[in-house]
Amino acid sequence: MKEGLLGNEIKGMDNDDSELGFWGNFHNGGGGLGLEVDGQRANEKEANGSFDLGGEFNQKSENFLLWLNDAKNRRVDGASGSGELKVDVNLNLGLGGEPSSSAMVTTGRDSSDRDSQNKRPKVHSFSLDWGTQFENEFHYLHPHYDKVNDEDLPDSTIGDAINNIDANKMDDLVVRMDLTDDLLHMVFSFLDHLDLCRAARVCRQWRDASSHEDFWRYLNFENRYISLQQFEDMCHRYPNATAVNIYGTPAIHPLVMKAMSSLRNLEVLTLGKGQLGETFFQALTDCHMLKSLTVNDATLGVQEIPIYHDRLRDLQIVKCRVVRISIRCPQLETLSLKRSSMPHAVLNCPLLRELDIASCHKLSDAAIRSAVTSCPLLESLDMSNCSCVSDETLQGIAQACLHLRILDASYCPNISLESVRLPMLTVLKLHSCEGITSASMVAIASSTLLEVLELDNCSLLTSVSLDLQRLKNIRLVHCRKFIDLNLRSSVLSSITVSNCPSLQRISIASNALKKLVLQKQESLTTLALQCHSLQEVDLTECESLTNSVCDVFGSGGGCPMLRSLVLDNCERLTTVSFHSTSLVSLSLGGCRAITSLELKCPYLEHVSLDGCDHLEKASFSPVGLRSLNMGICPKLNVLHVEAPLMVSLELKGCGVLSAAFIYCPLLTSLDASFCSQLKDDFLSATASSCPLIESLVLMSCPSVGPDGLSSLRSLANLTYLDLSYTFLVNLQPVFDSCLYLKVLKLQACKYLNDTSLEPLYKGNALPALCELDLSYGTLCQSAIEELLAGCRHLTHVSLNGCVNMHDLDWGFHRDGLSEVSTSYESFGGSSVENVLLPEHQPNRLLQNLNCVGCPNIKKVVIPPAAKCFHLSSLNLSLSSNLKEVDISCINLLFLNLSNCNSLEILKLDCPRLTSLFLQSCSIDEEAVETAITHCNVLETLDVRFCPKICPLSMGTLRLACPSLKRIFSSLAPT
């Protein structure tokens, strides 16, 4: 399809497998190239004769082609050269590497634009990121057309557009969708062989593009079925292929013989999971261009395998079963015999640089020595799991292979390295070498170029002392007798020491080490560090560390750049003192023995003291902390805090704290709850040194008196004050000092008399006060009534547990509301908008009223005349003697009457009520039904454990209030 995907050739392409050449044979050949996922899909493809591109895609493609054929048949006679539908598609690849597609509109073109010689659109610029995965996207065509009936057709699908086009206008339309070959080639370069074969059946242009030899340089049939005839066809079709992979295919021997005889440019060959005969190795010499050969998991069924090749550079004989192998490859550079079971190996590879004989258990010590020493240029040797290797062999290797840089001798129990010298080594791996002891360090120290040293599971190793200036990485894991580590290296950047239960002493000097993790070294007692770049240290659960560790990380120690230090669960630390100008984060969690803490770290931002429950003295002077919680230290007696940036300090629970100096000029929140030993002098000093305090909690601080409260006048920003559970008798210092107070909590202040709050409702004290908590107090009924009547600016009031509080009746109380002549009933009981109230009584701003657990309340009446237009939440739960509730509040949303066991009468005119809780109330079903009738937006109703309400009659309640969404009721009658 040189001229386009949809053109005059489309007719010849319909279901014409004969023109597909190889592709038809490939697809219909009883399994093809073995690209099917399973046998069932292979059978389906054989029966259908077509690739499965997805049902939806196939259906759309078929409908589209049928429409095009139909459009061509409807062409008007005499209209030559212009009777095709023109659809020009411009596919641009953006510079971002993502493919994009757009349909270009063509209107009013000259006849020359419809010429058959019209060129394809050019790709002006593109840049593909070859490292990203190409994503296929289906783009539906939205063609535009020339003017029809003097009107431009809008964007539409092809089906919609064809219905609006007159048959006489079809002569002016040209069918064409054209992709440039270079663009199609670029797109196809992202497809694997299976997708290329599927694309080949779309059209001729795609067939030609997908069969380009650039995509078939590497013939990969790994773990797929392919017959010998099909493989021969592939080799004949692509004689220039350079790589073949037939690993896991049936009958690998005849296939590989065909590949070597047909592909003269073969450079890379991979095969395995089968049996290879002697003829294969004899034919290798005729495959002149071969550079890489991989034989994996195969049986080489002759006594001796000769591999002779003049150009072979990489050879992998992995996990193969063979008796004897002889390799003579003068250009070979990389050889792997890993996990192969041959007792003899003869190597004649003078240029070999990398040799892997790991897990060749049958190779004897002499055979290994003979094979390795015959490679004088060897640079990398992996002989791990060769248990018979001895020091004599290593010594011979050291003498013969003067360029050896990488040696892996892991799991070789017979080597000790005591008589071996390997001066050119850069990487040495000795995992689980039982012969490695402290005496071996002399040999290792002779490798002055060593960069990587791994000594995991060397069970007899007791000490390591190395001064290697190029050492970068060292590992010591599960060395159960290891006691002493001494390292000197200016470039040491990684140290892994783990599960060495006997380790006691560590000394490290490095200019490159930035992070040191020594977790769970239970015996570690001595730590010496000279690491000028060290920033993070984790010593979690180093239980034997003593207070001397503080000198290591202080300003005079060897870690001037340290930023993070973790000493969690170091249980022998008792006195901790850090003076550091670099420390930012310190964690002492679980250090239960610490009694004294002194931190002089001006940049310290984070400190964790969780579990330091024996701390008695603490000094933070100066620190960069923004918040500090000392409430987790119940034995704290003396505290000194100097933190210029601190905004929050919590001392909650420091019951024995008697001396505290706090200098935090930016402090806004101080919680000293339950600090029973703090007195007025502390409060006065803190108020003077922390003038920006906004929230002050002195709950259960009985030693605070009038003098301390009077000092609060210096806190101009104080808006929150909690004096709950104190022995205050007179609140006048608060009224005089805290002029801008918004929240005042006086819970359980039982020594306040009935006149203590008169300045609030008679003298207009604390005009900004919004929230008042008098829960569990002893104020009389009249004082509470006068407070509620006079302080109409309060928004939140809590009277929980007030035993002296009786009826809450705002229809008949002393503020004169009962004198209102116009009754609520005269206005129909449903609206309060037109109720005339005395102008001298302002509206109440009350939003939240809590009277939980008031045992003497019997009646609650809140009529419209009470002007509670803002009340949204009312909680009267646990008021056991409450019998009658009559509430008319237009904005009430939440009402809780749970556990009001005596409730009998409930009248509600609350048009916005959404939640009503009546749990464990003795009210009957009829009263509830009547009450919720006027609650038009009620959503939640809780009537669980109500003895007079039958759970089976919830439908009645839903009929009374259709807006109900949730009704909570008991499962069975109580």
Side-chain angles (χ1 to χ4, degrees):
M1 290 276 300
K2 277 308 242 189
E3 291 301 322
L5 175 64
L6 307 172
N8 294 330
E9 299 181 59
I10 196 68
K11 182 176 181 180
M13 284 294 296
D14 292 343
N15 301 321
D16 188 3
D17 286 347
S18 62
E19 296 187 14
L20 292 177
F22 165 75
W23 302 112
N25 296 330
F26 164 78
H27 181 68
N28 297 323
L33 292 179
L35 301 180
E36 291 78 9
V37 177
D38 52 34
Q40 181 178 1
R41 291 184 59 187
N43 294 334
E44 292 175 358
K45 291 182 179 182
E46 289 178 6
N48 297 335
S50 61
F51 284 96
D52 182 9
L53 297 182
E56 182 179 358
F57 177 80
N58 288 336
Q59 185 62 36
K60 291 182 178 179
S61 302
E62 182 178 356
N63 294 339
F64 184 63
L65 294 176
L66 289 175
W67 175 84
L68 288 174
N69 289 332
D70 182 68
K72 292 177 63 178
N73 295 332
R74 292 168 59 185
R75 291 172 55 184
V76 180
D77 295 338
S80 59
S82 61
E84 298 174 305
L85 177 64
K86 176 176 291 186
V87 181
D88 284 353
V89 177
N90 181 14
L91 298 177
N92 294 324
L93 292 179
L95 294 178
E98 296 182 358
S100 61
S101 173
S102 60
M104 303 299 293
V105 182
T106 57
T107 57
R109 293 189 177 182
D110 297 335
S111 59
S112 59
D113 291 334
R114 295 189 289 267
D115 193 282
S116 60
Q117 300 299 324
N118 185 25
K119 297 182 179 180
R120 301 183 180 93
K122 295 182 178 180
V123 179
H124 298 286
S125 63
F126 60 88
S127 175
L128 290 177
D129 183 1
W130 294 94
T132 60
Q133 182 179 2
F134 179 79
E135 298 180 357
N136 291 319
E137 298 180 358
F138 289 108
H139 298 274
Y140 294 97
L141 299 178
H142 295 276
H144 297 252
Y145 303 90
D146 293 338
K147 290 186 178 181
V148 179
N149 296 330
D150 298 328
E151 293 182 358
D152 291 337
L153 287 175
D155 292 350
S156 63
T157 61
I158 296 178
D160 294 336
I162 196 65
N163 293 331
N164 296 327
I165 300 177
D166 183 48
N168 295 328
K169 302 292 183 178
M170 292 299 294
D171 293 342
D172 298 330
L173 302 177
V174 178
V175 177
R176 182 190 206 349
M177 184 173 71
D178 197 1
L179 298 178
T180 59
D181 290 339
D182 55 351
L183 179 58
L184 195 61
H185 189 89
M186 183 67 69
V187 172
F188 279 13
S189 66
F190 292 96
L191 303 182
D192 58 17
H193 289 171
L194 176 61
D195 293 330
L196 287 171
C197 294
R198 289 172 173 171
R201 297 193 55 85
V202 174
C203 63
R204 287 195 181 98
Q205 185 191 20
W206 285 32
R207 181 200 63 189
D208 295 340
S210 62
S211 62
H212 197 282
E213 65 176 359
D214 287 350
F215 305 139
W216 298 89
R217 299 282 186 183
Y218 176 32
L219 304 181
N220 184 6
F221 308 109
E222 181 175 345
N223 292 321
R224 301 183 187 278
Y225 172 81
I226 182 172
S227 66
L228 179 61
Q229 180 61 41
Q230 292 169 339
F231 185 75
E232 183 178 1
D233 291 343
M234 289 292 292
C235 293
H236 285 304
R237 184 174 182 86
Y238 299 106
N240 294 323
T242 59
V244 171
N245 185 347
I246 53 174
Y247 175 82
T249 60
I252 60 173
H253 183 80
L255 292 181
V256 71
M257 297 301 293
K258 177 58 65 177
M260 290 190 297
S261 62
S262 303
L263 305 177
R264 310 310 301 175
N265 295 322
L266 187 62
E267 298 179 358
V268 179
L269 180 58
T270 303
L271 62 156
K273 279 192 175 180
Q275 186 169 0
L276 290 175
E278 183 179 2
T279 55
F280 164 71
F281 298 99
Q282 294 174 351
L284 277 178
T285 55
D286 297 329
C287 195
H288 301 289
M289 303 300 293
L290 191 65
K291 296 180 180 178
S292 176
L293 172 62
T294 299
V295 182
N296 191 357
D297 193 13
T299 300
L300 313 183
V302 293
Q303 291 296 321
E304 179 174 357
I305 297 301
I307 301 179
Y308 302 152
H309 200 283
D310 293 336
R311 294 192 179 184
L312 197 63
R313 296 179 181 273
D314 176 69
L315 177 60
Q316 310 284 327
I317 307 294
V318 179
K319 198 180 176 182
C320 290
R321 292 158 293 282
V322 59
V323 177
R324 180 184 179 92
I325 189 169
S326 175
I327 301 174
R328 187 179 66 194
C329 300
Q331 300 294 325
L332 194 65
E333 297 179 355
T334 304
L335 172 62
S336 175
L337 302 174
K338 187 174 183 178
R339 301 177 64 186
S340 293
S341 59
M342 65 282 184
H344 302 285
V346 178
L347 303 183
N348 186 357
C349 309
L351 299 183
L352 191 66
R353 299 183 182 275
E354 298 181 19
L355 175 61
D356 186 354
I357 54 174
S359 300
C360 292
H361 300 291
K362 293 187 177 181
L363 277 179
S364 64
D365 187 36
I368 293 175
R369 181 166 59 252
S370 174
V372 177
T373 54
S374 65
C375 306
L377 299 183
L378 196 64
E379 298 178 357
S380 175
L381 172 61
D382 187 348
M383 52 193 303
S384 58
N385 277 294
C386 293
S387 56
C388 58
V389 175
S390 64
D391 281 348
E392 181 182 358
T393 295
L394 286 180
Q395 191 173 8
I397 293 173
Q399 295 173 355
C401 305
L402 300 179
H403 302 280
L404 188 64
R405 296 184 298 106
I406 301 174
L407 174 62
D408 189 347
S410 300
Y411 302 94
C412 296
N414 297 326
I415 64 173
S416 65
L417 296 182
E418 294 184 10
S419 59
V420 180
R421 297 296 182 268
L422 295 165
M424 299 301 293
L425 275 188
T426 60
V427 177
L428 177 58
K429 298 181 180 180
L430 298 171
H431 293 227
S432 301
C433 293
E434 298 177 0
I436 298 298
T437 64
S438 300
S440 306
M441 295 303 108
V442 178
I444 295 176
S446 66
S447 302
T448 57
L449 302 180
L450 196 63
E451 298 179 359
V452 178
L453 176 61
E454 298 182 3
L455 299 169
D456 295 358
N457 292 294
C458 292
S459 57
L460 300 180
L461 184 64
T462 58
S463 66
V464 172
S465 181
L466 296 173
D467 187 353
L468 298 172
Q469 293 306 308
R470 295 195 179 187
L471 187 64
K472 297 180 180 179
N473 188 323
I474 185 171
R475 284 180 55 91
L476 290 157
V477 179
H478 292 290
C479 299
R480 52 190 176 87
K481 293 186 178 182
F482 187 55
I483 297 175
D484 192 359
L485 175 62
N486 190 338
L487 297 175
R488 296 289 182 272
S489 175
S490 58
V491 297
L492 185 64
S493 59
S494 176
I495 299 177
T496 303
V497 179
S498 177
N499 292 301
C500 299
S502 301
L503 182 61
Q504 299 177 10
R505 295 176 296 274
I506 294 179
S507 177
I508 301 173
S510 171
N511 294 329
L513 188 64
K514 294 184 178 181
K515 184 175 181 179
L516 178 62
V517 178
L518 299 171
Q519 295 181 355
K520 297 183 179 181
Q521 304 304 317
E522 297 89 349
S523 302
L524 183 63
T525 57
T526 304
L527 183 63
L529 300 176
Q530 291 294 327
C531 304
H532 299 289
S533 298
L534 190 62
Q535 298 183 10
E536 300 179 35
V537 175
D538 189 345
L539 298 171
T540 299
E541 297 187 30
C542 293
E543 300 174 356
S544 299
L545 283 178
T546 61
N547 298 332
S548 60
V549 73
C550 299
D551 298 331
V552 177
F553 302 111
S555 57
C559 307
M561 301 296 291
L562 186 66
R563 294 175 57 85
S564 175
L565 176 60
V566 180
L567 295 170
D568 292 348
N569 298 308
C570 295
E571 297 183 355
R572 290 196 180 183
L573 296 178
T574 57
T575 301
V576 175
S577 177
F578 289 113
H579 299 182
S580 173
T581 57
S582 62
L583 195 61
V584 174
S585 176
L586 173 64
S587 181
L588 297 169
C591 298
R592 300 176 56 87
I594 295 180
T595 58
S596 177
L597 176 63
E598 182 183 0
L599 299 178
K600 291 186 177 180
C601 308
Y603 298 102
L604 184 66
E605 298 179 0
H606 307 281
V607 63
S608 174
L609 300 173
D610 294 340
C612 299
D613 48 11
H614 287 77
L615 185 63
E616 297 177 359
K617 297 180 180 180
S619 175
F620 302 85
S621 177
V623 292
L625 296 172
R626 295 182 179 273
S627 64
L628 178 63
N629 182 4
M630 298 301 298
I632 55 180
C633 305
K635 295 185 178 181
L636 186 66
N637 184 32
V638 178
L639 176 64
H640 183 101
V641 180
E642 183 181 347
L645 301 178
M646 185 172 292
V647 296
S648 175
L649 175 62
E650 185 170 335
L651 305 175
K652 185 176 182 180
C654 297
V656 297
L657 182 62
S658 58
F661 173 76
I662 300 174
Y663 178 75
C664 304
L666 299 182
L667 191 67
T668 59
S669 176
L670 174 61
D671 188 345
S673 301
F674 304 102
C675 295
S676 57
Q677 302 299 319
L678 293 180
K679 301 180 180 179
D680 288 346
D681 55 350
F682 159 75
L683 191 56
S684 300
T686 303
S688 176
S689 60
C690 308
L692 300 182
I693 290 180
E694 300 175 0
S695 174
L696 178 61
V697 180
L698 299 172
M699 183 172 63
S700 295
C701 295
S703 300
V704 174
D707 294 339
L709 295 178
S710 297
S711 65
L712 299 182
R713 62 171 50 91
S714 60
L715 302 179
N717 297 325
L718 186 63
T719 59
Y720 185 101
L721 179 62
D722 190 346
L723 298 172
S724 302
Y725 296 91
T726 57
F727 299 153
L728 294 176
V729 178
N730 185 8
L731 292 176
Q732 193 60 43
V734 176
F735 299 147
D736 295 338
S737 304
C738 308
L739 302 180
Y740 303 101
L741 205 61
K742 294 182 179 180
V743 179
L744 177 61
K745 292 184 176 294
L746 300 170
Q747 293 184 33
C749 293
K750 297 183 179 181
Y751 293 92
L752 293 177
N753 56 41
D754 294 338
T755 61
S756 299
L757 297 177
E758 284 188 357
L760 286 179
Y761 52 85
K762 290 185 178 180
N764 197 27
L766 305 181
L769 190 67
C770 297
E771 182 175 344
L772 179 62
D773 192 344
L774 297 173
S775 300
Y776 310 105
T778 58
L779 292 180
C780 65
Q781 172 75 15
S782 60
I784 294 176
E785 288 182 351
E786 291 180 0
L787 176 68
L788 295 177
C791 298
R792 292 177 172 261
H793 56 285
L794 293 176
T795 60
H796 294 71
V797 176
S798 294
L799 299 169
N800 303 324
C802 292
V803 295
N804 294 329
M805 184 177 179
H806 301 283
D807 294 347
L808 184 63
D809 189 350
W810 287 351
F812 303 94
H813 52 66
R814 300 175 185 177
D815 63 358
L817 286 176
S818 60
E819 299 177 359
V820 178
S821 58
T822 306
S823 66
Y824 174 62
E825 288 79 4
S826 65
F827 291 91
S830 59
S831 175
V832 296
E833 295 180 357
N834 299 321
V835 176
L836 299 178
L837 296 174
E839 296 181 358
H840 68 277
Q841 294 178 351
N843 295 336
R844 298 178 189 268
L845 300 181
L846 187 63
Q847 300 177 11
N848 191 307
L849 177 60
N850 293 319
C851 298
V852 178
C854 296
N856 296 318
I857 293 183
K858 296 180 180 180
K859 183 178 182 180
V860 174
V861 178
I862 304 178
K867 291 191 174 182
C868 294
F869 300 143
H870 299 281
L871 185 63
S872 60
S873 176
L874 177 60
N875 194 343
L876 299 168
S877 60
L878 297 171
S879 299
S880 57
N881 291 316
L882 182 61
K883 293 184 178 181
E884 180 180 352
V885 174
D886 186 354
I887 301 174
S888 297
C889 295
I890 60 174
N891 288 312
L892 188 66
L893 303 176
F894 175 90
L895 176 60
N896 192 350
L897 298 171
S898 297
N899 296 286
C900 295
N901 302 326
S902 303
L903 184 65
E904 298 177 355
I905 301 174
L906 180 60
K907 298 180 180 180
L908 300 177
D909 191 358
C910 305
R912 297 184 181 177
L913 187 67
T914 59
S915 300
L916 175 61
F917 294 88
L918 298 171
Q919 187 177 149
S920 300
C921 292
S922 59
I923 191 170
D924 58 29
E925 181 179 331
E926 183 179 355
V928 175
E929 181 181 352
T930 303
I932 65 176
T933 302
H934 300 291
C935 302
N936 300 325
V937 295
L938 186 65
E939 296 181 355
T940 301
L941 176 63
D942 189 348
V943 292
R944 287 175 290 183
F945 312 112
C946 294
K948 296 182 181 180
I949 299 179
C950 179
L952 301 179
S953 61
M954 293 298 103
T956 304
L957 297 180
R958 290 188 180 275
L959 291 176
C961 185
S963 61
L964 275 174
K965 296 181 179 178
R966 294 169 294 274
I967 299 181
F968 298 99
S969 62
S970 302
L971 296 179
T974 56

